[in-house]
Amino acid sequence: MNESRQPLVIIPLDSGDSTLISKWINDGYLPHMKRIANQGFFSTIREPELVNEMGTWVSLLSGIPKITHGYHSLRQLIPGTYTIRTVTPRAAVNTLPFWCYTNAADLNCLVVDPPEFNVYPGIKGLQIANWGTHNRCGRSPED
C-alpha cells in the first residue's frame, strides 16, 4: 500500500514580533508566509514559561515543560546553597526532540538547525545542527 503523507513543516520565528509579522503578511509583504499560514497553522506563543529563551526550545521540541527538564536559565542556584552553577541544554534530563520518534512511524526527517539540540544518530533523513546559531550549546545523546 502506497500511502501519501503530507510533510510536517515547522518554521519557528525566534524573536519575531508577531504583531508586525501578521501585519506584513496581511499587507502582502510576505506572500510565501501568507500561503504557509493560510494552508497550515500559524500561532503565537504566549505562555509565560516560554518568554525566557533558556529552555524554551527544549520544551517546544520535546513537549516537556521546563519545570520537568530543569533547563530554565544559564545560571542557576544549586538547591540548598548560595552557589551558582552554569547550566547548558545538556542539563535538560530525559528530553528527546519529537523527530527522534519518527523511525517508529517509518518517516524520514529533514531537521535544519534546531536550537538547543544537536544531531541524533540513527534518525532516517538529514539533520543539520549549529548552523547559524548564536549559541553553540546544543545537546546530543553522547554529551
Side-chain angles (χ1 to χ4, degrees), residues 51-132:
V51 172
N52 178 349
E53 172 191 8
M54 300 302 127
T56 296
W57 289 109
V58 174
S59 292
L60 287 172
L61 298 175
S62 71
I64 298 173
K66 290 180 186 182
I67 191 72
T68 302
H69 65 62
Y71 176 56
H72 53 79
S73 176
L74 287 177
R75 298 179 52 167
Q76 297 180 14
L77 282 174
I78 296 174
T81 75
Y82 290 104
T83 304
I84 295 176
R85 66 181 173 151
T86 301
V87 180
T88 70
R90 291 175 185 90
V93 295
N94 300 319
T95 54
L96 292 174
F98 69 87
W99 59 89
C100 286
Y101 303 98
T102 57
N103 283 358
D106 196 31
L107 298 173
N108 290 320
C109 291
L110 171 61
V111 180
V112 180
D113 207 18
E116 300 181 342
F117 286 100
N118 278 335
V119 172
Y120 286 82
I123 304 297
K124 294 182 196 174
L126 177 66
Q127 300 173 73
I128 301 169
N130 289 320
W131 172 54

